Amino acid sequence: MTPHDLLSTLRPLLAAEAAAEAHGAGIEAADLEQDVWLRLLERTREAGPPAEPVRWLRSAVRTEVRSARRRARREVPYDPTAGDPAGGPERGGPDSCVEHAVLGAERDRALRDAVRRLPGRCPGLLMALLSRRDPTYREIAGELGISQGSLGPVRSRCLGCLRRMLTAEVAAPEPRGKER
């Protein structure tokens, strides 16, 4: 496949994939497309065109989206009134970053523990959705042995069950014995 054929074949698919994924990552679809084209150019220069261009393209889009999400978590908007950025936890310095990381890890652990306590197929489905591999609905359905069309309704029921379970665990009683 010539580079021109590869470009004309992948252009509509990349535009669709970028438009679908960019909003969730908080980036512009055009920026995502540009990043993937650059990745393809670098790859063809080093190892030639991919053997399965469509599969490679989808994987590259998801990789770039995950990378954009990681960058967004690390970026801090510039605030000239904030003072010294390395001034300690009360000013958003390095200690607060460690604290946020520890609290985030604790929150993730608590969520995964709660998901494991769910009934039926819910733990498998929600753990697949929480996976760092970022599997597609088709991959999840294949792993769980259920139809792709039933994933949405099952996911909704599982999330509702998880919400009720966590609400019951966290809810504090109101005055005079009433619960929220």
Side-chain angles (χ1 to χ4, degrees):
M1 182 177 275
T2 68
H4 180 70
D5 293 337
L6 186 64
L7 178 70
S8 61
T9 302
L10 295 179
R11 177 176 281 143
L13 178 62
L14 177 57
E17 290 280 331
E21 296 285 343
H23 180 70
I27 59 175
E28 295 289 327
D31 291 341
L32 180 57
E33 283 186 56
Q34 184 177 3
D35 291 341
V36 173
W37 283 129
L38 181 60
R39 181 181 280 258
L40 178 62
L41 178 65
E42 290 170 346
R43 190 210 185 281
T44 54
R45 187 176 296 161
E46 294 171 7
E52 297 180 46
V54 172
R55 180 181 231 165
W56 179 91
L57 179 91
R58 288 187 172 132
S59 174
V61 168
R62 284 198 304 267
T63 301
E64 288 298 329
V65 165
R66 281 192 300 269
S67 176
R69 284 185 185 135
R70 280 193 300 272
R71 278 192 310 269
R73 281 194 303 261
R74 288 192 309 256
E75 289 178 354
V76 179
Y78 175 69
D79 183 6
T81 63
D84 183 17
E90 66 279 352
R91 291 193 181 139
D95 294 340
S96 66
C97 293
V98 172
E99 182 179 352
H100 286 295
V102 169
L103 290 174
E106 178 63 24
R107 183 193 64 234
D108 292 347
R109 186 198 58 74
L111 175 64
R112 291 180 190 281
D113 288 345
V115 166
R116 285 187 198 98
R117 294 192 316 261
L118 290 171
R121 294 180 177 173
C122 291
L125 173 62
L126 293 181
M127 290 303 273
L129 290 171
L130 291 170
S131 170
R132 291 185 183 267
R133 291 185 309 116
D134 196 23
T136 63
Y137 263 30
R138 179 179 289 157
E139 294 167 341
I140 294 171
E143 288 175 16
L144 299 177
I146 59 178
S147 72
Q148 186 176 346
S150 66
L151 277 180
V154 172
R155 182 202 67 195
S156 294
R157 284 192 297 273
C158 292
L159 289 174
C161 185
L162 178 64
R163 188 177 302 112
R164 285 186 301 276
M165 185 176 73
L166 292 176
T167 300
E169 290 177 5
V170 175
E174 289 188 11
R176 297 186 212 141
K178 294 182 182 178
E179 289 190 12
R180 287 188 264 202

